[in-house]
Amino acid sequence: MDALDGNAIAGLLVEVFGGELTTASSVCGSCGARSQVAELHVYLRAPGTVARCRACAAVQMVFVTIRGITCVDLRGLARLDMAQ
Ligand SMILES: [Zn+2]
């Protein structure tokens, strides 16, 4: 499956967090790489939606929607700085 960039989940991020996050700065919990959310590698059918670190490919974010409820796993993130 080809990876998209973080812009592919812009609408999902607004839906979940209530704001534009593609320009937010994320820090990978695995390798410590810092990048904008827009630069992450996104897989839309992984299953669920998965955003991976572009440096080490570790999973940073997972979104799964079941019966209208979106569950979010951010354990792969060391930091998400929305003030960028
Ligand atoms: Zn990484």
Side-chain angles (χ1 to χ4, degrees), residues 9-19 21 37 40 47-51 59-66 68-77 80 82:
I9 56 171
L12 179 60
L13 293 171
V14 169
E15 185 180 310
V16 171
F17 295 105
L21 279 183
V37 170
L40 298 176
T49 298
V50 174
V59 173
Q60 289 196 4
M61 298 186 239
V62 180
F63 304 85
V64 177
T65 301
I66 302 170
I69 298 172
T70 300
C71 300
V72 183
D73 181 348
L74 302 177
R75 284 178 288 179
L77 276 176
L80 184 62
M82 301 185 205

